[in-house]
Amino acid sequence: MQALGVFGGTFDPIHYGHLRPAQVVRERLALEPLLIVPAPHPPHRRQPVAAANHRLRMVQLACEEFPGFEVDDREYRRGGPSFTVLTLESLRSELGARPICLLLGMDAYEDIEIWHEWTRLPQLAHLVVMTRPGWEFPGEAQLPAWARGRVVHEARTLTQVSAGCIFFQPVPPEDISATAIRDAIARGESVRGQLPDAVWEYICTNRLYQPRGADAETQSR
Ligand code: ATP
């Protein structure tokens, strides 16, 4: 069975450190489609700087450059905190037994035990963990009890069962972070090349991530 991919995030803003690793995973696992799911109200982290609608628009612009990526705005339509478990639950009810692969950077995977109802995540999807510069994949001995026995090494296993496996997928390093992008813009620097041109132009047009107080009204719109 062909698997569907889900890649959620705050995307504040979306950049090539999100997009290129996800593209590598999409091709490696033949995910069709790969849903990019922006979180309007991420519950586990500092609140985003750009308003939810701006982040959604940037994701839409970015995905035009990546065939096979589809923007899924169900977390906007649902309202309330953007809990991944609810997103996976609604996809599962649409897809029946089809495999779902939830993509995560290694930093996000390390924090998974603080996610809302996190123990249900592997019941609903496979976890596909991507390398990220600065974070190492765990060795067998470092795996927590819940993850032991779930790790698979053959990509095709992910197409044979609906959910429940953990797959570590190395990707070419993209040393780009949304925090560093926001800081650079606030210092007045260009970040062209770290994200799609259409996203950079959107940031400039809407004066996003300017120093605090410079254009606060535009950012919260
Ligand atoms: P920040 O870069 O400020 O830490 P973030 O990009 O990690 O923010 P999100 O937008 O929520 O925050 O990230 C969405 C997903 O993308 C997460 O699973 C994260 O691990 C992953 N990710 C982000 N940047 C990279 C990168 N450079 N390489 C691989 N994965 C990444």
Side-chain angles (χ1 to χ4, degrees), residues 7-13 15 17-18 21 45-46 103-109 130-133 171 174-180 182:
F7 186 34
T10 310
F11 303 128
D12 189 22
H15 54 68
H18 301 124
R45 46 179 292 156
R46 257 184 313 110
L103 275 57
L104 301 158
M106 185 56 210
D107 58 309
Y109 169 79
M130 308 177 286
T131 34
R132 177 171 185 176
V171 292
E174 293 286 347
D175 197 4
I176 304 176
S177 101
T179 306
R182 292 193 303 272

Side-chain angles (χ1 to χ4, degrees), residues 45-61:
R45 46 179 292 156
R46 257 184 313 110
Q47 282 314 292
V49 174
N53 289 344
H54 284 313
R55 291 183 289 109
L56 173 61
R57 187 70 197 119
M58 290 189 279
V59 168
Q60 288 166 337
L61 291 168

Side-chain angles (χ1 to χ4, degrees), residues 138-216:
E140 286 286 328
Q142 295 160 297
L143 287 170
W146 68 269
R148 277 188 216 134
R150 292 191 181 276
V151 177
V152 297
H153 302 283
E154 299 269 355
R156 72 163 183 274
T157 312
L158 304 175
T159 63
Q160 291 164 348
V161 280
S162 309
C165 301
I166 301 177
F167 186 73
F168 291 101
Q169 174 64 58
V171 292
E174 293 286 347
D175 197 4
I176 304 176
S177 101
T179 306
I181 286 180
R182 292 193 303 272
D183 290 348
I185 295 171
R187 289 193 302 270
E189 296 167 17
S190 167
V191 292
R192 196 183 274 283
Q194 297 187 49
L195 30 66
D197 279 349
V199 175
W200 173 234
E201 277 149 28
Y202 185 90
I203 288 171
C204 295
T205 304
N206 292 280
R207 299 187 51 75
L208 302 182
Y209 310 118
Q210 301 297 311
R212 233 181 148 55
D215 206 351

